[in-house]
Amino acid sequence: MITIDCTPVRVLLDKENLANKIDLLRDTIDLLLEETAEISDTVELVYTADLMRNLNELRRQLNEVFKAQ
């Protein structure tokens, strides 16, 4: 059985793992962007846009951590 250490500190200290998490965030944001084209409910659209902004900010911050390593 393969176990993956995903504790926050471990993710931040392992550069390869951190890069994978950043890529995963980018892919998730891209998928959400594609999905917004199909959203007709304004409230859901605002919620999705807020989520995308938050994910993008998290990705930006993780990129800063990645560059600092």
Side-chain angles (χ1 to χ4, degrees):
M1 175 198 252
I2 298 174
T3 59
I4 300 172
D5 186 357
C6 291
T7 60
V9 172
R10 180 76 178 142
V11 169
L12 293 175
L13 294 177
D14 181 347
K15 195 166 186 174
E16 183 178 336
N17 196 2
L18 180 58
N20 289 337
K21 300 302 182 202
I22 292 169
D23 289 342
L24 180 61
L25 278 170
R26 186 196 63 236
D27 293 344
T28 302
I29 293 167
D30 290 345
L31 180 62
L32 281 171
L33 185 58
E34 290 174 14
E35 295 294 320
T36 57
E38 301 173 12
I39 297 174
S40 58
D41 180 15
T42 307
V43 173
E44 187 177 348
L45 187 58
V46 169
Y47 173 76
T48 303
D50 286 343
L51 177 60
M52 288 171 54
R53 274 193 292 275
N54 290 336
L55 289 173
N56 199 44
E57 177 62 19
L58 176 59
R59 187 175 62 93
R60 187 192 66 73
Q61 291 174 6
L62 289 176
N63 268 322
E64 292 298 318
V65 171
F66 182 80
K67 290 176 189 175
Q69 290 183 347

